[in-house]
Amino acid sequence: MALVLAVDDQPINLELLAAYLEGTGCEFVPAENGRQALEALDRRRPDLVLLDVVMPELDGFEVCRRIKADPANRLVPVVLVTSLNTVEDRVHALEVGADDFLPKPIDRRELMARVLTLIKTKGVYEKLDDAEHVMAAFAKIVEAKDGGTEAHVGRVARGARALGEAAGLSGPALDSLYFGGIVHDIGKIGVPDSVLLKSGPLDPSEVAVMRRHVAIGVDIARQLRSAANVVPIIRHHHERHDGTGYPDGLRAGEIPSAAMIVSICDAYDAMTSDRSYRPAMPSGYAIAELRRGAGTQWDPELVGLFLSRVMQEPDAELPLEASAIGSATLQ
C-alpha cells in the first residue's frame, strides 16, 4: 500500500485531500505544519508528499529543500499544492527539488491522476544514478523558465512510455523513453532567455540559436556513460519523417523510433499548452494536426497508435484530415 504524506496548515484542506484520495488504496498521513512533516518522514518514508507552500514558520519551499537534501528521501516525489503561479515561483520550487505542481483549488480527478502516476513512475527514478538526477533537475529548471510549459516534460515522458508500450517495447526500453522524455530539451539551458522566452516568431538568426539546443543537449548527455541510451532521443526528436527536419535531415526508418515517439508526444503536449508565442490549442485541433502531419512530419503508424491507444480516440483510424491551424512547428 502506497503511503501519501499530506502537509497543510488548514485542517479543512487535509480533510478534503483525504476524502479525494479515499478509494485509491493509498494510506493517508496528515501533517499540519512543516515540522510535523519532517518528523513524519523520520518515522516512515512515504511514497509521495503533497505539500502546501504558504505555511507559517517553515514554508513549503523550505520543507521541500530539507526533504530533498536528505539522501534517504531525495527520491520521494514532492508535489507542491499551491496557488502561486509566477515563473519565479516555479523556478524556485524546482531549484529546491519539487517534482510537480498541483494548483489550487484542487480538482479531484487531477489529484488522483497525479498521485497514482507519480507513485507508479517512482521506480523509474530509483533506477537513475546521481548524474542522471542532475540532468533531470536541469531539465525541470529549463521547463520552469520556458513560461507556460509547467509539467510539460513529465507529461511527455509519461506519454512516451505509454506509446512505447503500445508499440511493443518493454523493460529498459520503456525506462529510456521515460527518461528521454524528461531530458529531451535539456539543451535549452544554453539558449538565451531573449530567444527562449520571445513572445513573437523567431527570426532566422534566432531560429539558428534555438536549434543549437540539440547539440548542447547531446554534449551534456554524452558526458554520462549511463545516459548514452537517451542521446539519440535528444539529437533526433526534431527530425521529420519526410527528411526536412534537423539536425541531420534523417527520414522515415533512419530516425530512431524512440526519438519519433518522443517527438509525437512532445508535439501534442506543446500544441495543447500555452506558450510565450501563442495560447494553447484545443485538443481536437492538436489531434487533427497530428493526423495531417502523419507521413510528413511524423511516422504514420506511431501517430495511429498514439491516437488509438494513448489518446483512445474512437475515430483514430479515419483518413487524415486537413487542419485549420497550419503545420506544427516546435522549437
Side-chain angles (χ1 to χ4, degrees), residues 18 29 72 82-83 88 95 122 154 174 199 209 223 248 264 286 302 304:
V29 176
T82 179
S83 57
E88 291 75 15
E95 287 174 341
K122 180 173 174 249
L174 292 180
S199 59
V209 170
Q223 306 304 311
D248 299 317
I264 292 167
L302 287 174

Side-chain angles (χ1 to χ4, degrees), residues 13-35:
N13 290 338
L14 292 173
E15 293 175 12
L16 183 65
L17 288 170
Y20 279 178
L21 291 176
E22 188 175 359
T24 63
C26 298
E27 180 181 353
F28 184 84
V29 176
E32 295 185 356
N33 55 58
R35 296 204 179 279

Side-chain angles (χ1 to χ4, degrees), residues 248-275:
D248 299 317
L250 302 183
R251 59 185 303 128
E254 298 173 339
I255 304 170
S257 60
M260 181 56 69
I261 286 171
V262 168
S263 176
I264 292 167
C265 298
D266 184 28
Y268 175 81
D269 194 79
M271 286 188 283
T272 54
S273 301
D274 287 327
R275 291 300 174 99

Side-chain angles (χ1 to χ4, degrees), residues 135-158:
M135 279 184 65
F138 273 131
K140 290 188 175 183
I141 290 173
V142 170
E143 172 187 64
K145 286 175 58 180
D146 192 359
T149 64
E150 180 180 315
H152 166 70
V153 296
R155 292 191 298 267
V156 173
R158 292 189 289 271

